[in-house]
Amino acid sequence: MTGAGGTAPARLTAWILSYTGVSDEPRVLRQAKALSDAGWCVVVAGHDGRSPRPPEWQYIRLDDTIPSRSLPKRIWQLGERELGRSACIHLAGWPAIAQAGARLIYRGLPLWSAAQSEILAAAERTDLRPDLVIAHDYHTCPPAAELARHSGAAFVVDCHEYARDEYPGNPRWMARERPFVVALQDDYLARADAVTTVSDGIARLLDRDQRLKRPAITVRSLPFFREMPLRPVGEMIEVLYHGIVGPERGLEVSIQSVRDWRPDYRLTIRGNGESAYVDALKALSHEAGVGGRVRFEPAVPFGEIIPAANQADIGLFVQSDLSPQKRLALPNKFFEYVMAGLALCIADLPEMAALLQRHDLGVLARHLRPDAVAEAVNSLSRDRIMHYKAQALAAARVLNWESEQRIMIALFDELMRERGSSAC
């Protein structure tokens, strides 16, 4: 496609900001690939991950260690944080003051404030002026909004979580951190040209809680389509949990439930977590008398997640209903289990349960108790497992990123039309 006079128009440029190991972050990887395939130049700013970075990225490496600071600087930033926190907590009824306090806290966080400076400095050094800036979660909103304002770009926030109530069981977080999160989101989500999120339930909450320019758009965290074999059930029935190994993911209950599983079933927990927590889970498995039936494995690289999961038979995820964030979750692992061709055993939470039932993918654990999880797992006979595996592989032809990305690209195209831009 060429412009007037036969010259090719400049490619549109998108900047994606994430304070994660970006080459391991599925949502960043999928988003960047979709934009690149649609003809955009893609700049990704984030921390180094374990997996290789895609070659099409323009990459801005953000330091993931707290920068060295003089004592006066440390004292100054501590003062900013505490002054800002006081405003967020005690003056929440005055939104403008609370939001100014949230920006002050952000400026006083050494890692995040350094990352903001790195991002804005990199933007000054490059000719890759953004047409679109995407902030992943509230953490990156301040630099994203500033970058978009300077360049006249569209500003989008991609909310992975319902962050206002992410840790309701943590009194310290509720008292000290939640006011900051609420004020920061109230400030920046109202400025965003669009907000995307991972499930319809969280989108409805964002529409209810935030002053948005347009309704939140659901773009689910679906994997790239990958043809997987229908693998027969072996002598041992392999149950898999993969993902972050951390609290509030039902892992303690899952391990305890193994005591009541039929003897030819065993559990693999695959993922990375704090060493002390992983050690505690291993100790729990031995205390429960199932140490020989529970295996712990490190996470595999992004490109190997689906093939590795295909070696299992049942995908397990039974996190608790502790908050709207947990209740309305629609996590990567749900769709990865489907793409891998596994029967599912999932907590009875509305977003996941609706999809499981719509596509006939497996069974629900009705309660987060060892006996209830064991009952659900044991209900999966070999014949039923094979039925649900086949259903998963059929559903994978619909529940894939190649289909889902169209929603996101259509939104970005609409934002560009509003700005009078056009892709080559």
Side-chain angles (χ1 to χ4, degrees):
M1 176 178 173
T2 57
T7 60
R11 295 171 70 193
L12 294 172
T13 298
W15 284 53
I16 300 173
L17 313 185
S18 176
Y19 295 162
T20 62
V22 284
S23 65
D24 300 321
E25 178 59 64
R27 204 159 168 90
V28 168
L29 289 159
R30 289 190 287 261
Q31 199 173 71
K33 179 73 161 55
L35 285 161
S36 181
D37 288 350
W40 292 65
C41 175
V42 177
V43 180
V44 177
H47 304 311
D48 288 340
R50 298 180 305 275
S51 303
R53 290 190 304 275
E56 64 269 20
W57 287 8
Q58 301 281 338
Y59 177 55
I60 297 171
R61 181 187 180 277
L62 303 178
D63 196 349
D64 59 359
T65 58
I66 294 177
S68 176
R69 298 162 295 151
S70 66
L71 179 60
K73 177 69 170 178
R74 293 200 300 271
I75 293 172
W76 181 264
Q77 287 190 313
L78 175 61
E80 287 180 317
R81 294 198 301 274
E82 292 309 309
L83 180 60
R85 199 176 308 281
S86 181
C88 289
I89 293 171
H90 300 297
L91 299 173
W94 287 268
I97 298 174
Q99 290 165 20
R103 292 193 295 274
L104 199 58
I105 293 173
Y106 198 98
R107 200 167 71 190
L109 293 167
L111 192 61
W112 289 4
S113 61
Q116 176 165 358
S117 297
E118 291 176 66
I119 290 165
L120 297 178
E124 291 292 330
R125 293 194 303 267
T126 180
D127 58 357
L128 295 171
R129 183 189 64 82
D131 301 282
L132 170 69
V133 183
I134 305 166
H136 277 252
D137 287 316
Y138 67 88
H139 318 91
T140 58
C141 279
E146 185 71 6
L147 180 57
R149 185 181 68 82
H150 274 302
S151 60
F155 168 41
V156 173
V157 182
D158 186 35
C159 296
H160 301 204
E161 320 286 349
Y162 181 63
R164 298 172 77 98
D165 280 321
E166 193 168 358
Y167 303 109
N170 184 331
R172 179 177 172 80
W173 185 87
M174 291 293 290
R176 288 181 59 80
E177 302 304 328
R178 184 180 185 273
F180 162 62
V181 174
V182 169
L184 201 73
Q185 284 206 155
D186 286 350
D187 187 0
Y188 286 96
L189 267 60
R191 304 190 204 187
D193 296 292
V195 172
T196 57
T197 190
V198 298
S199 76
D200 289 337
I202 293 179
R204 287 191 293 271
L205 291 181
L206 290 171
D207 290 340
R208 182 195 71 185
D209 296 337
Q210 308 292 161
R211 292 173 53 247
L212 305 180
K213 292 182 180 179
R214 67 186 81 207
I217 303 293
T218 299
V219 181
R220 297 172 298 179
S221 294
L222 303 182
F224 297 113
F225 179 75
R226 191 160 182 173
E227 192 87 43
M228 285 287 114
L230 178 61
R231 196 184 66 80
V233 176
E235 182 179 347
M236 293 294 294
I237 294 175
E238 303 288 349
V239 183
L240 172 69
Y241 167 89
H242 76 208
I244 294 173
V245 179
E248 298 182 358
R249 291 171 181 263
L251 294 174
E252 291 86 353
V253 171
S254 296
I255 289 169
Q256 291 167 334
S257 76
V258 176
R259 288 177 299 195
D260 297 321
W261 291 6
R262 294 204 298 263
D264 52 343
Y265 287 57
R266 65 185 176 190
L267 172 64
T268 296
I269 296 174
R270 179 179 298 141
N272 298 327
E274 295 290 335
S275 59
Y277 182 73
V278 175
D279 288 344
L281 291 181
K282 291 178 179 178
L284 176 63
S285 70
H286 288 289
E287 291 167 11
V290 295
R293 299 175 63 192
V294 179
R295 296 182 297 183
F296 292 84
E297 298 179 356
V300 299
F302 177 76
E304 298 174 22
I305 290 173
I306 303 299
N310 179 255
Q311 300 305 304
D313 300 299
I314 300 168
L316 179 68
F317 186 48
V318 290
Q319 78 173 2
S320 59
D321 182 5
L322 290 175
S323 67
Q325 158 63 22
K326 301 292 186 185
R327 185 179 314 119
L328 301 172
L330 204 47
N332 290 302
K333 64 175 62 60
F334 179 95
F335 299 110
E336 290 162 353
Y337 292 161
V338 173
M339 188 61 65
L342 305 187
L344 270 60
C345 180
I346 300 296
D348 189 8
L349 300 175
E351 294 285 333
M352 292 190 290
L355 274 173
L356 179 142
Q357 292 166 340
R358 185 181 310 154
H359 294 279
D360 189 23
L361 298 171
V363 297
L364 298 171
R366 299 293 181 180
H367 305 283
L368 189 68
R369 299 193 313 263
D371 63 321
V373 175
E375 180 182 0
V377 170
N378 288 333
S379 73
L380 289 166
S381 66
R382 291 170 181 270
D383 287 345
R384 291 189 77 193
I385 291 171
M386 290 307 297
H387 167 76
Y388 291 133
K389 282 187 166 193
Q391 289 295 109
L393 291 175
R397 298 189 175 277
V398 178
L399 299 176
N400 58 64
W401 181 243
E402 286 78 1
S403 297
E404 193 77 1
Q405 67 181 357
R406 297 170 190 163
I407 299 169
M408 184 191 72
I409 293 298
L411 170 64
F412 296 162
D413 286 347
E414 181 180 346
L415 295 176
M416 293 303 100
R417 286 194 297 271
E418 292 173 359
R419 280 168 164 66
S421 303
S422 60
C424 58

